[in-house]
Amino acid sequence: MKRPMTIDDLLALKWVSDPQVSPDGTRVVYVQKVIDRDADTYRSHLWIIPTAGGPAKQFTAGSHGDSLPRWSPDGRSIAFLSERGAPPGEGKKPKQIYVIPADGGEARALTSGDHDPTDLTWSPDGTALVFLGRP
């Protein structure tokens, strides 16, 4: 018997976007967005899955939004945008650029300004990141 969709069904939805294949073709990093019912907001984090099959692993976590993952040309790092570090209750802060080792570890901030990046790409040699930003 079919049943009508409920609010709990909607709150359980997960959206997947922006898949990026690693330079060696063995992994895909992507963004998964979910609803945080208690905080009445969305959360987005990076996940990684092997292209040969197997379970996906959550790569970033926290009470913020991560987006726009981009592999470094050598596949050793992932740059991404994040709202992490914004003090709670102070309103929306600009996203910043972070880099994290592709095998896990702590993300480090590369920017701290008011530019609010909207795009991100590595230079071909992996020594620089280029982004668009608006004040």
Side-chain angles (χ1 to χ4, degrees):
M1 174 199 273
K2 293 182 182 180
R3 67 172 177 78
M5 184 174 265
T6 67
I7 189 68
D8 289 328
D9 295 328
L10 293 173
L11 292 172
L13 290 175
K14 297 174 182 169
W15 294 267
V16 173
S17 64
D18 204 6
Q20 300 289 315
V21 179
S22 64
D24 66 3
T26 62
R27 298 179 284 177
V28 175
V29 64
Y30 62 91
V31 177
Q32 179 176 290
K33 183 184 264 190
V34 297
I35 297 172
D36 181 338
R37 184 179 201 165
D38 296 333
D40 192 27
T41 191
Y42 293 98
R43 304 279 184 226
S44 58
H45 300 103
L46 305 184
W47 286 69
I48 292 184
I49 189 165
T51 55
K57 294 188 314 184
Q58 187 168 354
F59 195 62
T60 63
S63 60
H64 51 270
D66 297 331
S67 61
L68 207 68
R70 297 294 181 260
W71 292 95
S72 62
D74 64 7
R76 294 173 54 185
S77 300
I78 299 170
F80 62 100
L81 302 182
S82 184
E83 299 164 345
R84 62 185 64 209
E90 288 192 19
K92 187 168 173 63
K93 296 288 184 185
K95 292 179 183 176
Q96 301 299 327
I97 300 171
Y98 286 78
V99 173
I100 190 168
D103 291 328
E106 289 296 316
R108 64 184 168 90
L110 295 185
T111 60
S112 61
D114 294 329
H115 47 271
D116 207 8
T118 58
D119 203 356
L120 182 63
T121 192
W122 287 88
S123 64
D125 64 2
T127 61
L129 285 160
V130 178
F131 63 92
L132 298 175
R134 56 178 180 230

